[in-house]
Amino acid sequence: MGNHLYYGDNLAVLRDSIADESVDLIYLDPPFNSNASYNVLFKGPKGKESAAQIEAFDDTWHWTDAAEEAFGEVLRSGNGAAAEMLRAMRSFLGENDMMAYLAMMAVRLLELHRVLKPTGSLYLHCDPTASHYLKILLDAIFGARNFRNEIIWHRRPGMSSAVHEANRFGGTTDTIFFFAKSSEAKFSVQYNRDSPEYQNYIDTRFTLKDKDGRLYQATSLVNPAPRPNLRYDYKGYQSPSNGWMISKAKMEQWDAEGRLHFPADKSKRIRRKSFADELKGMPVQSLWTDIPPVNARAQERLGYPTQKPVALLERIVSASSNPGDVVLDPFCGCGTTVHAAEKLGRGWIGIDVTHLAIGLIEKRLRDAFAGVEFTTHGVPEDLAGARDLARRGREDKNYYFEFEKWALSLIAAQPGNQSKKGADRGIDGNIYFGKTQRAVVSVKAGDNVGVAMIRDLRGVVEREKAEIGVFLTLTAPTKPMVAEAAAAGQFEMEGFSAVPRIQIVTVEDALTLRDRAVRLPARRDDAFRRAKREESGGQGALDL
């Protein structure tokens, strides 16, 4: 079915585009924090939140007509357990933000259950804010018998917020609920060779070395129950009274392979050599302490504050899917799930409600995987689509900022001030590069552009003390505009070639060149960073 990236409300995408029982694995990390908005997606070059943030999506879900409609849809869904559970929650919680969140999640979880194959599984990632309510909803929708694990991920080691708050312990863990669609669900045990527990097991148990220096432990070959047919002497070592665990032919085979330990004292028993290097590792349990978060110095860090480590998703994808299976993330954010799926040879579907996230995922995948193939739905793919989005923005205030969001995502720019809180002061976006350098971006979706707009941008660059100005335009520039931009001169940075101080970039060029359409003297350090190159491949096949 190919790989698909959807821009839009995941509820609508699930209903319109995802068929019944077509997905093998679902991972979701639905945002909720009752005390803060999730619109702070981007940070400036010194790690500070931008003064003007795009309202990419509102993480504080409120009880509105949409929440009431979602509640009603669950009651009419035909799933009596989910309807009764949500009704009970409303009688307890009332009509508040938490109840709105649960209603909106319940209707989506019903759709996710629908698209999941009988052999499929769902992993829901959350923090303690709403985890207890989500577990009850999952029990109602999937059935308590299909609950597999409450996985605790130790996401933040060391010092925590408790140091600064005297009334509680620090929060250093997340919860991941693992549910199967049915008893037929796939699963493969995962192993860890790097944990301290495993290393201690090796150090204390595997204390012998063979002639090649391989560590091993000598384990019993005595049969636990009487087996007269397996009683035989071997190389002067007498048979145990119960007999050996293996036949004489197998004993000879293991002897030839160097897998037998012969004690110097022949009154003792032959034992088997169990080699340390043949162990898969320590079986992973439900407490995950071995996967660190994506910190500020991590190579995979892209500049997205809620980014999950690829290793976390690799473990989930490997445990509950086969190469060629389809993995779905309906809240895909910066795309870690689809990255892990692509890396492990799975098909994938990602859904997000922001153009900026979709643009980031597209860039991430193209940077990380040579020749990656996927289809993006719901965003302009050519100049005609861009013009249509711009037209809708002029006609419908709901689309007012959509063109700007999308255009900025093409060149990997961070948003300037696209919120509802005030004027943008001529700054639609920012591109940070070098250590503290900055390019300001002005986006124009209109049909009429002129030289005055370039003069205005030059004024913004001077006022903001920025190094570069980028004029991103849907309509081709006029000759006077090009001349005015050239008159601004060059920006020079030691060790790099000079670049134009004022750059005119057409949307048509940005569609083709993406972030390379903007000429910078150095790679950006604190905007969305380039994902490291990966090799696609299939690992983690399951035995069914």
Side-chain angles (χ1 to χ4, degrees), residues 129-150:
T129 310
S131 60
H132 46 306
Y133 297 119
L134 290 170
K135 171 63 164 60
I136 294 172
L137 281 178
L138 288 165
D139 281 341
I141 294 170
F142 281 78
R145 68 188 179 282
N146 289 319
F147 171 66
R148 293 293 179 264
N149 285 108
E150 179 180 0

Side-chain angles (χ1 to χ4, degrees), residues 4 28 47 67 75 86 117 143 185 217 269 324 353-354 383 389 416 419 451 475-477 483 516:
H4 298 273
L28 65 158
L75 298 190
L86 200 63
K117 293 179 182 178
Q217 65 171 328
R269 307 296 184 199
V353 74
T354 73
L383 195 58
L389 181 60
S419 72
V451 69
T475 302
R516 292 180 290 113

Side-chain angles (χ1 to χ4, degrees), residues 3-5 27 294 299-302 307-315 317-318 327-329 332-351 360-370 372 374 529-539:
N3 300 320
H4 298 273
L5 195 56
Y27 168 87
V294 180
Q299 186 177 3
E300 68 182 87
R301 178 177 176 266
L302 299 174
Q307 181 180 349
K308 301 300 183 294
V310 173
L312 184 75
L313 273 301
E314 284 189 78
R315 176 170 292 173
V317 170
S318 296
V327 179
L328 165 67
D329 187 341
C332 61
C334 68
T336 303
T337 303
V338 299
H339 184 127
E342 179 70 26
K343 183 178 179 181
L344 298 178
R346 276 68 168 170
W348 51 263
I349 301 169
I351 310 171
L360 171 59
I361 296 167
E362 290 178 321
K363 181 179 185 299
R364 176 179 188 170
L365 291 170
R366 291 185 177 115
D367 286 346
F369 302 100
V372 63
F374 58 90
R529 299 199 291 189
R530 185 177 297 276
K532 69 174 183 178
R533 180 69 72 180
E534 299 273 19
E535 294 295 332
S536 298
Q539 70 177 50

Side-chain angles (χ1 to χ4, degrees), residues 183-241:
S183 59
E184 303 173 34
K186 308 169 186 177
F187 185 76
S188 177
V189 175
Q190 300 298 295
Y191 297 91
N192 179 7
R193 297 177 64 91
D194 300 320
S195 69
E197 294 85 358
Y198 180 66
Q199 192 57 53
N200 181 64
Y201 177 76
I202 296 296
D203 292 343
T204 57
R205 300 290 186 91
F206 294 80
T207 57
L208 303 172
K209 287 185 179 181
D210 72 355
K211 60 183 177 60
D212 297 320
R214 297 175 70 192
L215 290 174
Y216 72 91
Q217 65 171 328
T219 57
S220 176
L221 279 174
V222 176
N223 206 301
R227 293 289 301 274
N229 62 316
L230 293 178
R231 292 190 64 190
Y232 55 88
D233 294 345
Y234 189 76
K235 286 190 173 181
Y237 292 85
Q238 292 186 346
S239 171
S241 58

Side-chain angles (χ1 to χ4, degrees), residues 40-351:
V40 182
L41 296 179
F42 310 95
K43 297 183 183 295
K46 298 181 181 179
K48 296 182 179 179
E49 297 171 1
S50 173
Q53 293 290 344
I54 183 172
E55 295 184 357
F57 55 89
D58 190 355
D59 182 44
T60 306
W61 304 44
H62 304 297
W63 190 267
T64 61
D65 290 343
E68 188 72 63
E69 181 180 352
F71 180 82
E73 288 186 20
V74 175
L75 298 190
R76 297 186 297 271
S77 67
N79 187 316
E84 287 305 310
M85 192 59 68
L86 200 63
R87 192 198 306 270
M89 288 179 174
R90 183 171 183 177
S91 68
F92 172 67
L93 293 170
E95 291 79 29
N96 58 16
D97 290 352
M98 177 62 79
M99 190 60 222
Y101 174 75
L102 295 172
M104 302 287 262
M105 282 304 305
V107 73
R108 286 162 173 79
L109 288 170
L110 287 168
E111 292 298 325
L112 293 173
H113 184 268
R114 173 186 63 80
V115 305
L116 198 60
K117 293 179 182 178
T119 54
S121 298
L122 177 142
Y123 290 75
L124 190 154
H125 192 142
C126 54
D127 67 16
T129 310
S131 60
H132 46 306
Y133 297 119
L134 290 170
K135 171 63 164 60
I136 294 172
L137 281 178
L138 288 165
D139 281 341
I141 294 170
F142 281 78
R145 68 188 179 282
N146 289 319
F147 171 66
R148 293 293 179 264
N149 285 108
E150 179 180 0
I151 298 164
I152 303 300
W153 175 41
H154 187 212
R155 59 176 168 78
R156 184 173 60 186
M159 304 295 283
S160 73
S161 57
V163 174
H164 308 290
E165 299 181 31
N167 63 348
R168 67 180 182 93
F169 295 106
T172 62
T173 63
D174 280 359
T175 295
I176 304 173
F177 292 122
F178 168 24
F179 275 78
K181 178 72 174 281
S182 73
S183 59
E184 303 173 34
K186 308 169 186 177
F187 185 76
S188 177
V189 175
Q190 300 298 295
Y191 297 91
N192 179 7
R193 297 177 64 91
D194 300 320
S195 69
E197 294 85 358
Y198 180 66
Q199 192 57 53
N200 181 64
Y201 177 76
I202 296 296
D203 292 343
T204 57
R205 300 290 186 91
F206 294 80
T207 57
L208 303 172
K209 287 185 179 181
D210 72 355
K211 60 183 177 60
D212 297 320
R214 297 175 70 192
L215 290 174
Y216 72 91
Q217 65 171 328
T219 57
S220 176
L221 279 174
V222 176
N223 206 301
R227 293 289 301 274
N229 62 316
L230 293 178
R231 292 190 64 190
Y232 55 88
D233 294 345
Y234 189 76
K235 286 190 173 181
Y237 292 85
Q238 292 186 346
S239 171
S241 58
N242 278 359
W244 302 103
M245 295 177 66
I246 56 176
S247 67
K248 189 172 184 180
K250 178 64 74 173
M251 185 77 79
E252 291 171 344
Q253 177 188 336
W254 283 5
D255 188 4
E257 294 172 352
R259 294 184 175 278
L260 296 180
H261 173 83
F262 295 96
D265 183 353
K266 290 199 173 184
S267 67
K268 296 183 179 179
R269 307 296 184 199
I270 301 170
R271 299 173 72 85
R272 178 187 181 183
K273 292 179 181 178
S274 295
F275 291 102
D277 58 16
E278 293 181 342
L279 295 178
K280 294 181 179 179
M282 189 72 72
V284 173
Q285 308 299 312
S286 60
L287 176 62
W288 295 0
T289 61
D290 59 319
I291 300 177
V294 180
N295 61 46
R297 294 178 298 278
Q299 186 177 3
E300 68 182 87
R301 178 177 176 266
L302 299 174
Y304 193 94
T306 59
Q307 181 180 349
K308 301 300 183 294
V310 173
L312 184 75
L313 273 301
E314 284 189 78
R315 176 170 292 173
I316 291 171
V317 170
S318 296
S320 292
S321 70
N322 277 326
D325 284 351
V326 177
V327 179
L328 165 67
D329 187 341
F331 296 90
C332 61
C334 68
T336 303
T337 303
V338 299
H339 184 127
E342 179 70 26
K343 183 178 179 181
L344 298 178
R346 276 68 168 170
W348 51 263
I349 301 169
I351 310 171

